[in-house]
Amino acid sequence: MQVFDLSVVRPPEFVQYGLACLENLASRGDHCAKETREKLRIMVAGGDGTVGWVLGSLTELFRHNREPVPPTGIIPLGTGNDLSRSFGWGGSFPFAWKSAIKRSLNRAITGPISRLDSWHVVVTMPAGETVELPHCLRYTEEYTHNQDLEGLPDKRTCFEGVFYNYFSVGMDAQVAYGFHHLRNEKPYLAQGPIANKLIYSTYSCTQGWFCTPCMSKPNLRGLKNILRLYIKKVNCSEWEQVRIPSSVRSIVALNLHNYGSGRNPWGKPKPKYMEKRGFVEAHADDGLLEIFGLKEGWHASIVMVELISAKHIAQAAAIRMEVRGGDWKKAYMQMDGEPWKQPMNKEYSTFVDIVRAPFQSRMISGE
């Protein structure tokens, strides 16, 4: 077993180092090293953002080498830990960590393997604006699959990334953005998952999600004013525009059942309802995203305690969002808990394209 500190060594570097050591030993006739190389499994200790960062790095590295990606397990050390919950590793790590570590490593060795869809996100925007990107995104050359976009100038800027759990735009991303900046500026406030959740809840009350200022109209806060949503259904090549309810202030495209620390906002729709809406049962490897909306904070709170389901919007095999400013100069977006502030232009649109990546991650089941 080899342990690496991700604050010092980036994911591709520690995997390359470990592979090089094993291959060097195997070339000298070490059969144990060869067997270890073939049965390599990786455990990630962290939250959803850290796990997604490692999964993306592993996929990029092993696809480049044309080798199968090693199965990955999780030691949940984040705030929400939705990826961890989805694959049976739990929502938090026990205080009796020594015995828990032994159990986790044993499950990492013996646990069955599950599949997880990966979703490729490309944001195409007018050139001239600078975006402070989180770890999960990087600037890239113009995306070759979005040449049909209308409403963009000749000079464009593109950045891309991969998510495994969710992508969202709206008030939930704004709250996450503010929380992350507050935690970075005052790290002493966030001393653990419980403190993080308290700060997160308090911060959401200050952003106008629960109470819209009296001088402004509530409908102006709706995403319908800045965003158009298009989807492609399974085995369909044409984009279909989907109506956004005027009350919706956050739109989430969800891949897993777990969101917001183990909640299931999509719920468990009845068979008749799913048949009427053209929905199918959701799975983490079905090639579909569940798109739902959250209204004001009170609605989101009731959804999070699972008294009601979120506002069902669509199921999609691909998504396109067109965002254009007006009274709004910026929007907030996030993927797998990594938020950023997206500038908007009054004259030109910004496009967000989400398609299923041609690879799946392999996850170790902790149950």
Side-chain angles (χ1 to χ4, degrees), residues 99-157:
S99 58
I101 284 288
K102 293 179 181 179
R103 290 195 302 270
S104 295
L105 293 179
N106 182 62
R107 285 185 290 175
I109 296 170
T110 60
I113 307 301
S114 302
R115 298 283 179 174
L116 172 64
D117 282 339
S118 308
W119 294 90
H120 186 207
V121 177
V122 177
V123 179
T124 307
M125 55 184 286
E129 296 281 0
T130 302
V131 181
E132 183 181 350
L133 299 181
H135 288 301
C136 58
L137 296 168
R138 64 180 182 182
Y139 285 101
T140 183
E141 298 295 327
E142 186 167 347
Y143 189 39
T144 56
H145 298 294
N146 63 9
Q147 299 300 321
D148 59 332
L149 299 181
E150 298 180 358
L152 274 169
D154 294 335
K155 294 184 178 181
R156 311 172 183 182
T157 299

Short mmCIF file of all heavy atoms in Angstrom, two decimals, residues 99-157:
data_model
loop_
_atom_site.label_atom_id
_atom_site.label_comp_id
_atom_site.label_asym_id
_atom_site.label_seq_id
_atom_site.Cartn_x
_atom_site.Cartn_y
_atom_site.Cartn_z
N SER A 99 -9.89 1.46 13.34
CA SER A 99 -10.61 0.25 12.94
C SER A 99 -11.36 0.46 11.64
O SER A 99 -11.49 -0.45 10.83
CB SER A 99 -11.57 -0.18 14.05
OG SER A 99 -12.51 0.86 14.34
N ALA A 100 -11.86 1.71 11.43
CA ALA A 100 -12.59 2.01 10.19
C ALA A 100 -11.67 1.93 8.97
O ALA A 100 -12.08 1.48 7.90
CB ALA A 100 -13.23 3.39 10.28
N ILE A 101 -10.43 2.38 9.14
CA ILE A 101 -9.47 2.30 8.04
C ILE A 101 -9.24 0.85 7.63
O ILE A 101 -9.22 0.50 6.44
CB ILE A 101 -8.13 2.95 8.45
CG1 ILE A 101 -8.23 4.47 8.41
CG2 ILE A 101 -7.00 2.49 7.53
CD1 ILE A 101 -8.29 5.07 7.03
N LYS A 102 -9.11 -0.03 8.62
CA LYS A 102 -8.89 -1.44 8.33
C LYS A 102 -10.08 -2.03 7.57
O LYS A 102 -9.92 -2.77 6.60
CB LYS A 102 -8.65 -2.21 9.62
CG LYS A 102 -7.34 -1.85 10.33
CD LYS A 102 -7.18 -2.65 11.62
CE LYS A 102 -5.88 -2.26 12.33
NZ LYS A 102 -5.72 -3.00 13.61
N ARG A 103 -11.29 -1.67 8.02
CA ARG A 103 -12.48 -2.18 7.34
C ARG A 103 -12.56 -1.64 5.91
O ARG A 103 -12.91 -2.38 4.98
CB ARG A 103 -13.74 -1.78 8.12
CG ARG A 103 -13.91 -2.50 9.44
CD ARG A 103 -15.35 -2.34 9.97
NE ARG A 103 -15.72 -0.95 10.13
CZ ARG A 103 -15.52 -0.26 11.25
NH1 ARG A 103 -14.95 -0.84 12.30
NH2 ARG A 103 -15.91 1.01 11.34
N SER A 104 -12.24 -0.37 5.74
CA SER A 104 -12.31 0.24 4.40
C SER A 104 -11.32 -0.40 3.45
O SER A 104 -11.64 -0.67 2.29
CB SER A 104 -12.05 1.75 4.50
OG SER A 104 -13.06 2.40 5.24
N LEU A 105 -10.11 -0.64 3.92
CA LEU A 105 -9.10 -1.26 3.06
C LEU A 105 -9.47 -2.69 2.72
O LEU A 105 -9.22 -3.15 1.60
CB LEU A 105 -7.73 -1.20 3.74
CG LEU A 105 -7.13 0.19 3.92
CD1 LEU A 105 -5.79 0.12 4.63
CD2 LEU A 105 -6.96 0.89 2.57
N ASN A 106 -10.08 -3.40 3.66
CA ASN A 106 -10.52 -4.76 3.37
C ASN A 106 -11.63 -4.76 2.32
O ASN A 106 -11.63 -5.58 1.39
CB ASN A 106 -11.01 -5.43 4.65
CG ASN A 106 -11.44 -6.87 4.41
OD1 ASN A 106 -10.63 -7.71 4.01
ND2 ASN A 106 -12.70 -7.16 4.65
N ARG A 107 -12.57 -3.81 2.44
CA ARG A 107 -13.63 -3.70 1.43
C ARG A 107 -13.08 -3.27 0.08
O ARG A 107 -13.60 -3.66 -0.97
CB ARG A 107 -14.70 -2.72 1.90
CG ARG A 107 -15.60 -3.29 2.99
CD ARG A 107 -16.73 -2.33 3.33
NE ARG A 107 -16.25 -1.16 4.04
CZ ARG A 107 -17.00 -0.12 4.37
NH1 ARG A 107 -18.28 -0.10 4.03
NH2 ARG A 107 -16.50 0.90 5.03
N ALA A 108 -12.02 -2.44 0.12
CA ALA A 108 -11.40 -2.01 -1.14
C ALA A 108 -10.81 -3.19 -1.90
O ALA A 108 -10.80 -3.23 -3.13
CB ALA A 108 -10.31 -0.98 -0.86
N ILE A 109 -10.33 -4.18 -1.16
CA ILE A 109 -9.72 -5.35 -1.79
C ILE A 109 -10.77 -6.32 -2.31
O ILE A 109 -10.63 -6.90 -3.39
CB ILE A 109 -8.80 -6.07 -0.77
CG1 ILE A 109 -7.63 -5.15 -0.39
CG2 ILE A 109 -8.26 -7.38 -1.35
CD1 ILE A 109 -6.82 -5.68 0.77
N THR A 110 -11.85 -6.48 -1.54
CA THR A 110 -12.83 -7.53 -1.85
C THR A 110 -14.12 -7.03 -2.48
O THR A 110 -14.92 -7.83 -2.97
CB THR A 110 -13.18 -8.28 -0.56
OG1 THR A 110 -13.75 -7.35 0.39
CG2 THR A 110 -11.94 -8.90 0.06
N GLY A 111 -14.35 -5.71 -2.46
CA GLY A 111 -15.63 -5.18 -2.92
C GLY A 111 -15.88 -5.37 -4.40
O GLY A 111 -14.94 -5.31 -5.22
N PRO A 112 -17.14 -5.60 -4.80
CA PRO A 112 -17.48 -5.72 -6.23
C PRO A 112 -17.36 -4.38 -6.94
O PRO A 112 -17.31 -3.33 -6.32
CB PRO A 112 -18.93 -6.20 -6.20
CG PRO A 112 -19.47 -5.71 -4.89
CD PRO A 112 -18.32 -5.76 -3.93
N ILE A 113 -17.33 -4.45 -8.27
CA ILE A 113 -17.12 -3.26 -9.10
C ILE A 113 -18.44 -2.83 -9.74
O ILE A 113 -19.18 -3.65 -10.27
CB ILE A 113 -16.07 -3.52 -10.20
CG1 ILE A 113 -14.78 -4.09 -9.59
CG2 ILE A 113 -15.78 -2.25 -10.97
CD1 ILE A 113 -14.14 -3.19 -8.57
N SER A 114 -18.71 -1.51 -9.68
CA SER A 114 -19.89 -0.93 -10.33
C SER A 114 -19.44 0.08 -11.38
O SER A 114 -18.30 0.56 -11.35
CB SER A 114 -20.79 -0.24 -9.30
OG SER A 114 -21.20 -1.13 -8.30
N ARG A 115 -20.34 0.41 -12.28
CA ARG A 115 -20.05 1.37 -13.35
C ARG A 115 -20.65 2.74 -13.02
O ARG A 115 -21.70 2.83 -12.38
CB ARG A 115 -20.60 0.88 -14.68
CG ARG A 115 -19.99 -0.43 -15.16
CD ARG A 115 -18.61 -0.21 -15.74
NE ARG A 115 -17.99 -1.46 -16.18
CZ ARG A 115 -16.82 -1.53 -16.83
NH1 ARG A 115 -16.17 -0.40 -17.08
NH2 ARG A 115 -16.33 -2.68 -17.19
N LEU A 116 -19.97 3.78 -13.46
CA LEU A 116 -20.43 5.15 -13.24
C LEU A 116 -20.25 5.97 -14.51
O LEU A 116 -19.14 6.04 -15.05
CB LEU A 116 -19.62 5.78 -12.09
CG LEU A 116 -19.83 7.28 -11.84
CD1 LEU A 116 -21.27 7.56 -11.41
CD2 LEU A 116 -18.86 7.80 -10.78
N ASP A 117 -21.35 6.57 -14.98
CA ASP A 117 -21.26 7.44 -16.16
C ASP A 117 -20.43 8.68 -15.86
O ASP A 117 -20.45 9.21 -14.74
CB ASP A 117 -22.66 7.89 -16.61
CG ASP A 117 -23.39 6.81 -17.37
OD1 ASP A 117 -22.74 5.89 -17.89
OD2 ASP A 117 -24.64 6.88 -17.42
N SER A 118 -19.72 9.16 -16.87
CA SER A 118 -19.00 10.42 -16.79
C SER A 118 -19.64 11.39 -17.79
O SER A 118 -20.02 10.98 -18.89
CB SER A 118 -17.52 10.23 -17.14
OG SER A 118 -16.94 9.19 -16.37
N TRP A 119 -19.73 12.66 -17.41
CA TRP A 119 -20.39 13.65 -18.27
C TRP A 119 -19.44 14.79 -18.59
O TRP A 119 -18.87 15.41 -17.69
CB TRP A 119 -21.66 14.16 -17.59
CG TRP A 119 -22.68 13.07 -17.46
CD1 TRP A 119 -22.84 12.20 -16.43
CD2 TRP A 119 -23.66 12.71 -18.44
NE1 TRP A 119 -23.86 11.33 -16.69
CE2 TRP A 119 -24.39 11.62 -17.91
CE3 TRP A 119 -24.01 13.21 -19.69
CZ2 TRP A 119 -25.44 11.00 -18.61
CZ3 TRP A 119 -25.05 12.61 -20.38
CH2 TRP A 119 -25.75 11.53 -19.85
N HIS A 120 -19.27 15.02 -19.88
CA HIS A 120 -18.33 16.03 -20.38
C HIS A 120 -19.05 17.37 -20.54
O HIS A 120 -20.09 17.44 -21.21
CB HIS A 120 -17.77 15.57 -21.73
CG HIS A 120 -16.69 16.44 -22.26
ND1 HIS A 120 -16.42 16.57 -23.61
CD2 HIS A 120 -15.80 17.25 -21.64
CE1 HIS A 120 -15.42 17.42 -23.78
NE2 HIS A 120 -15.03 17.84 -22.60
N VAL A 121 -18.53 18.39 -19.91
CA VAL A 121 -19.11 19.73 -19.96
C VAL A 121 -18.18 20.66 -20.73
O VAL A 121 -16.97 20.71 -20.46
CB VAL A 121 -19.33 20.30 -18.54
CG1 VAL A 121 -19.86 21.72 -18.60
CG2 VAL A 121 -20.26 19.41 -17.75
N VAL A 122 -18.72 21.41 -21.68
CA VAL A 122 -17.96 22.43 -22.41
C VAL A 122 -18.73 23.74 -22.33
O VAL A 122 -19.92 23.80 -22.67
CB VAL A 122 -17.74 22.04 -23.88
CG1 VAL A 122 -17.01 23.16 -24.61
CG2 VAL A 122 -16.94 20.77 -23.98
N VAL A 123 -18.06 24.79 -21.88
CA VAL A 123 -18.65 26.12 -21.83
C VAL A 123 -17.99 26.97 -22.91
O VAL A 123 -16.76 27.10 -22.95
CB VAL A 123 -18.45 26.78 -20.45
CG1 VAL A 123 -19.06 28.18 -20.43
CG2 VAL A 123 -19.07 25.93 -19.35
N THR A 124 -18.80 27.52 -23.81
CA THR A 124 -18.32 28.37 -24.89
C THR A 124 -18.89 29.77 -24.68
O THR A 124 -20.10 29.94 -24.63
CB THR A 124 -18.76 27.83 -26.26
OG1 THR A 124 -18.37 26.45 -26.38
CG2 THR A 124 -18.12 28.62 -27.39
N MET A 125 -18.00 30.76 -24.58
CA MET A 125 -18.44 32.11 -24.24
C MET A 125 -17.71 33.13 -25.11
O MET A 125 -16.67 32.81 -25.72
CB MET A 125 -18.12 32.40 -22.76
CG MET A 125 -16.67 32.18 -22.40
SD MET A 125 -16.32 32.42 -20.63
CE MET A 125 -16.42 34.21 -20.54
N PRO A 126 -18.24 34.36 -25.22
CA PRO A 126 -17.52 35.40 -25.97
C PRO A 126 -16.16 35.67 -25.34
O PRO A 126 -16.02 35.67 -24.11
CB PRO A 126 -18.45 36.61 -25.84
CG PRO A 126 -19.79 36.06 -25.53
CD PRO A 126 -19.54 34.84 -24.73
N ALA A 127 -15.15 35.86 -26.17
CA ALA A 127 -13.80 36.14 -25.67
C ALA A 127 -13.76 37.50 -24.98
O ALA A 127 -14.59 38.38 -25.24
CB ALA A 127 -12.80 36.10 -26.82
N GLY A 128 -12.82 37.67 -24.08
CA GLY A 128 -12.63 38.96 -23.42
C GLY A 128 -12.87 38.92 -21.93
O GLY A 128 -12.36 39.75 -21.20
N GLU A 129 -13.64 37.94 -21.47
CA GLU A 129 -13.90 37.80 -20.04
C GLU A 129 -12.97 36.73 -19.45
O GLU A 129 -12.63 35.74 -20.10
CB GLU A 129 -15.35 37.40 -19.79
CG GLU A 129 -16.37 38.44 -20.22
CD GLU A 129 -16.49 39.57 -19.22
OE1 GLU A 129 -15.78 39.54 -18.19
OE2 GLU A 129 -17.29 40.50 -19.48
N THR A 130 -12.57 36.92 -18.22
CA THR A 130 -11.74 35.96 -17.52
C THR A 130 -12.56 35.28 -16.44
O THR A 130 -13.26 35.95 -15.67
CB THR A 130 -10.52 36.63 -16.88
OG1 THR A 130 -9.75 37.29 -17.90
CG2 THR A 130 -9.64 35.62 -16.18
N VAL A 131 -12.49 33.97 -16.39
CA VAL A 131 -13.23 33.20 -15.40
C VAL A 131 -12.24 32.50 -14.47
O VAL A 131 -11.28 31.88 -14.93
CB VAL A 131 -14.14 32.14 -16.07
CG1 VAL A 131 -14.92 31.37 -15.02
CG2 VAL A 131 -15.08 32.80 -17.06
N GLU A 132 -12.47 32.63 -13.18
CA GLU A 132 -11.65 31.94 -12.19
C GLU A 132 -12.17 30.50 -12.07
O GLU A 132 -13.19 30.25 -11.44
CB GLU A 132 -11.73 32.65 -10.84
CG GLU A 132 -10.85 32.04 -9.76
CD GLU A 132 -10.98 32.76 -8.44
OE1 GLU A 132 -11.61 33.85 -8.40
OE2 GLU A 132 -10.48 32.24 -7.44
N LEU A 133 -11.46 29.58 -12.72
CA LEU A 133 -11.96 28.21 -12.83
C LEU A 133 -11.61 27.37 -11.61
O LEU A 133 -10.51 27.48 -11.06
CB LEU A 133 -11.38 27.54 -14.08
CG LEU A 133 -11.71 28.18 -15.43
CD1 LEU A 133 -11.07 27.37 -16.55
CD2 LEU A 133 -13.21 28.26 -15.64
N PRO A 134 -12.51 26.50 -11.16
CA PRO A 134 -12.18 25.54 -10.11
C PRO A 134 -11.31 24.41 -10.67
O PRO A 134 -11.05 24.35 -11.88
CB PRO A 134 -13.56 25.02 -9.68
CG PRO A 134 -14.42 25.18 -10.90
CD PRO A 134 -13.92 26.41 -11.59
N HIS A 135 -10.88 23.50 -9.78
CA HIS A 135 -10.00 22.40 -10.20
C HIS A 135 -10.61 21.55 -11.29
O HIS A 135 -9.88 20.97 -12.11
CB HIS A 135 -9.66 21.51 -9.00
CG HIS A 135 -8.73 22.13 -8.01
ND1 HIS A 135 -7.46 22.57 -8.36
CD2 HIS A 135 -8.86 22.40 -6.69
CE1 HIS A 135 -6.86 23.07 -7.30
NE2 HIS A 135 -7.69 22.98 -6.27
N CYS A 136 -11.94 21.43 -11.31
CA CYS A 136 -12.59 20.49 -12.21
C CYS A 136 -12.66 20.99 -13.65
O CYS A 136 -13.11 20.24 -14.53
CB CYS A 136 -13.99 20.16 -11.70
SG CYS A 136 -15.06 21.62 -11.54
N LEU A 137 -12.25 22.23 -13.93
CA LEU A 137 -12.34 22.80 -15.27
C LEU A 137 -10.98 23.28 -15.75
O LEU A 137 -10.09 23.59 -14.96
CB LEU A 137 -13.32 23.98 -15.27
CG LEU A 137 -14.78 23.67 -14.97
CD1 LEU A 137 -15.57 24.95 -14.72
CD2 LEU A 137 -15.42 22.87 -16.09
N ARG A 138 -10.84 23.37 -17.08
CA ARG A 138 -9.60 23.88 -17.66
C ARG A 138 -9.93 24.51 -19.01
O ARG A 138 -10.88 24.10 -19.70
CB ARG A 138 -8.59 22.75 -17.85
CG ARG A 138 -9.03 21.68 -18.83
CD ARG A 138 -8.00 20.60 -18.98
NE ARG A 138 -8.42 19.61 -19.98
CZ ARG A 138 -7.74 18.51 -20.28
NH1 ARG A 138 -6.61 18.26 -19.66
NH2 ARG A 138 -8.19 17.68 -21.20
N TYR A 139 -9.15 25.52 -19.36
CA TYR A 139 -9.33 26.15 -20.67
C TYR A 139 -8.89 25.20 -21.77
O TYR A 139 -7.98 24.38 -21.59
CB TYR A 139 -8.53 27.45 -20.75
CG TYR A 139 -9.15 28.58 -19.97
CD1 TYR A 139 -8.67 28.96 -18.72
CD2 TYR A 139 -10.25 29.27 -20.48
CE1 TYR A 139 -9.25 29.99 -18.00
CE2 TYR A 139 -10.84 30.30 -19.78
CZ TYR A 139 -10.34 30.66 -18.54
OH TYR A 139 -10.94 31.67 -17.83
N THR A 140 -9.55 25.29 -22.93
CA THR A 140 -9.27 24.38 -24.01
C THR A 140 -9.48 25.08 -25.34
O THR A 140 -9.99 26.21 -25.40
CB THR A 140 -10.17 23.13 -23.92
OG1 THR A 140 -9.84 22.22 -24.96
CG2 THR A 140 -11.64 23.52 -24.08
N GLU A 141 -9.11 24.41 -26.43
CA GLU A 141 -9.39 24.91 -27.76
C GLU A 141 -10.89 24.80 -28.03
O GLU A 141 -11.62 24.13 -27.31
CB GLU A 141 -8.62 24.10 -28.82
CG GLU A 141 -7.11 24.17 -28.66
CD GLU A 141 -6.58 25.59 -28.89
OE1 GLU A 141 -7.18 26.30 -29.72
OE2 GLU A 141 -5.59 25.96 -28.25
N GLU A 142 -11.36 25.46 -29.08
CA GLU A 142 -12.80 25.48 -29.36
C GLU A 142 -13.32 24.07 -29.56
O GLU A 142 -12.72 23.23 -30.22
CB GLU A 142 -13.09 26.32 -30.61
CG GLU A 142 -14.57 26.50 -30.85
CD GLU A 142 -14.87 27.58 -31.88
OE1 GLU A 142 -13.97 28.35 -32.21
OE2 GLU A 142 -16.02 27.63 -32.33
N TYR A 143 -14.44 23.81 -28.97
CA TYR A 143 -15.08 22.50 -29.01
C TYR A 143 -15.57 22.21 -30.42
O TYR A 143 -16.34 22.98 -31.00
CB TYR A 143 -16.24 22.51 -28.02
CG TYR A 143 -16.90 21.19 -27.75
CD1 TYR A 143 -16.16 20.02 -27.64
CD2 TYR A 143 -18.28 21.12 -27.58
CE1 TYR A 143 -16.77 18.82 -27.36
CE2 TYR A 143 -18.90 19.92 -27.30
CZ TYR A 143 -18.15 18.78 -27.19
OH TYR A 143 -18.76 17.59 -26.92
N THR A 144 -15.15 21.08 -30.97
CA THR A 144 -15.46 20.79 -32.38
C THR A 144 -16.92 20.42 -32.61
O THR A 144 -17.41 20.48 -33.73
CB THR A 144 -14.58 19.62 -32.88
OG1 THR A 144 -14.78 18.48 -32.02
CG2 THR A 144 -13.11 20.01 -32.85
N HIS A 145 -17.65 20.06 -31.54
CA HIS A 145 -19.03 19.62 -31.72
C HIS A 145 -20.05 20.74 -31.55
O HIS A 145 -21.25 20.49 -31.55
CB HIS A 145 -19.34 18.50 -30.72
CG HIS A 145 -18.49 17.28 -30.92
ND1 HIS A 145 -18.55 16.49 -32.03
CD2 HIS A 145 -17.53 16.73 -30.12
CE1 HIS A 145 -17.70 15.50 -31.94
NE2 HIS A 145 -17.06 15.62 -30.78
N ASN A 146 -19.59 21.98 -31.40
CA ASN A 146 -20.57 23.06 -31.20
C ASN A 146 -20.50 24.10 -32.31
O ASN A 146 -20.76 25.27 -32.08
CB ASN A 146 -20.37 23.72 -29.83
CG ASN A 146 -19.01 24.38 -29.70
OD1 ASN A 146 -18.27 24.50 -30.67
ND2 ASN A 146 -18.68 24.83 -28.50
N GLN A 147 -20.18 23.65 -33.50
CA GLN A 147 -20.07 24.58 -34.61
C GLN A 147 -21.43 25.11 -35.07
O GLN A 147 -21.51 26.06 -35.83
CB GLN A 147 -19.36 23.90 -35.80
CG GLN A 147 -17.93 23.44 -35.48
CD GLN A 147 -17.04 24.59 -35.08
OE1 GLN A 147 -17.12 25.68 -35.65
NE2 GLN A 147 -16.17 24.37 -34.10
N ASP A 148 -22.52 24.47 -34.60
CA ASP A 148 -23.86 24.91 -35.00
C ASP A 148 -24.40 26.01 -34.10
O ASP A 148 -25.54 26.43 -34.26
CB ASP A 148 -24.82 23.72 -34.98
CG ASP A 148 -24.92 23.07 -33.60
OD1 ASP A 148 -23.94 23.16 -32.84
OD2 ASP A 148 -25.97 22.49 -33.29
N LEU A 149 -23.59 26.49 -33.18
CA LEU A 149 -24.06 27.50 -32.24
C LEU A 149 -24.30 28.83 -32.95
O LEU A 149 -23.46 29.29 -33.73
CB LEU A 149 -23.06 27.70 -31.10
CG LEU A 149 -22.79 26.48 -30.22
CD1 LEU A 149 -21.80 26.85 -29.12
CD2 LEU A 149 -24.08 25.96 -29.61
N GLU A 150 -25.42 29.45 -32.65
CA GLU A 150 -25.73 30.78 -33.18
C GLU A 150 -25.83 31.75 -32.01
O GLU A 150 -26.32 31.41 -30.95
CB GLU A 150 -27.03 30.76 -33.96
CG GLU A 150 -26.99 29.84 -35.19
CD GLU A 150 -28.30 29.85 -35.94
OE1 GLU A 150 -29.24 30.53 -35.47
OE2 GLU A 150 -28.41 29.15 -36.97
N GLY A 151 -25.39 32.98 -32.23
CA GLY A 151 -25.44 33.96 -31.17
C GLY A 151 -24.11 34.19 -30.49
O GLY A 151 -24.05 34.84 -29.44
N LEU A 152 -23.02 33.67 -31.10
CA LEU A 152 -21.68 33.86 -30.55
C LEU A 152 -20.84 34.69 -31.52
O LEU A 152 -20.99 34.59 -32.74
CB LEU A 152 -21.00 32.51 -30.32
CG LEU A 152 -21.26 31.81 -29.00
CD1 LEU A 152 -20.74 30.38 -29.05
CD2 LEU A 152 -20.61 32.55 -27.85
N PRO A 153 -19.93 35.53 -31.02
CA PRO A 153 -19.03 36.27 -31.91
C PRO A 153 -17.97 35.34 -32.48
O PRO A 153 -17.86 34.17 -32.10
CB PRO A 153 -18.41 37.31 -30.97
CG PRO A 153 -18.43 36.65 -29.62
CD PRO A 153 -19.69 35.83 -29.60
N ASP A 154 -17.15 35.87 -33.40
CA ASP A 154 -16.11 35.04 -34.01
C ASP A 154 -15.04 34.64 -33.00
O ASP A 154 -14.51 33.53 -33.05
CB ASP A 154 -15.46 35.80 -35.17
CG ASP A 154 -16.44 36.03 -36.33
OD1 ASP A 154 -17.39 35.23 -36.44
OD2 ASP A 154 -16.27 37.01 -37.07
N LYS A 155 -14.72 35.54 -32.08
CA LYS A 155 -13.71 35.24 -31.07
C LYS A 155 -14.39 34.65 -29.84
O LYS A 155 -15.26 35.28 -29.24
CB LYS A 155 -12.91 36.49 -30.70
CG LYS A 155 -12.07 37.03 -31.85
CD LYS A 155 -11.23 38.22 -31.41
CE LYS A 155 -10.35 38.73 -32.54
NZ LYS A 155 -9.51 39.89 -32.13
N ARG A 156 -13.95 33.44 -29.46
CA ARG A 156 -14.60 32.72 -28.38
C ARG A 156 -13.56 32.18 -27.39
O ARG A 156 -12.41 31.99 -27.73
CB ARG A 156 -15.43 31.55 -28.94
CG ARG A 156 -16.34 31.94 -30.08
CD ARG A 156 -16.99 30.73 -30.70
NE ARG A 156 -17.81 31.10 -31.86
CZ ARG A 156 -18.53 30.23 -32.57
NH1 ARG A 156 -18.53 28.94 -32.23
NH2 ARG A 156 -19.25 30.63 -33.60
N THR A 157 -14.05 31.92 -26.20
CA THR A 157 -13.24 31.26 -25.18
C THR A 157 -13.98 30.00 -24.73
O THR A 157 -15.20 30.03 -24.55
CB THR A 157 -13.02 32.18 -23.96
OG1 THR A 157 -12.33 33.36 -24.38
CG2 THR A 157 -12.22 31.48 -22.87
#
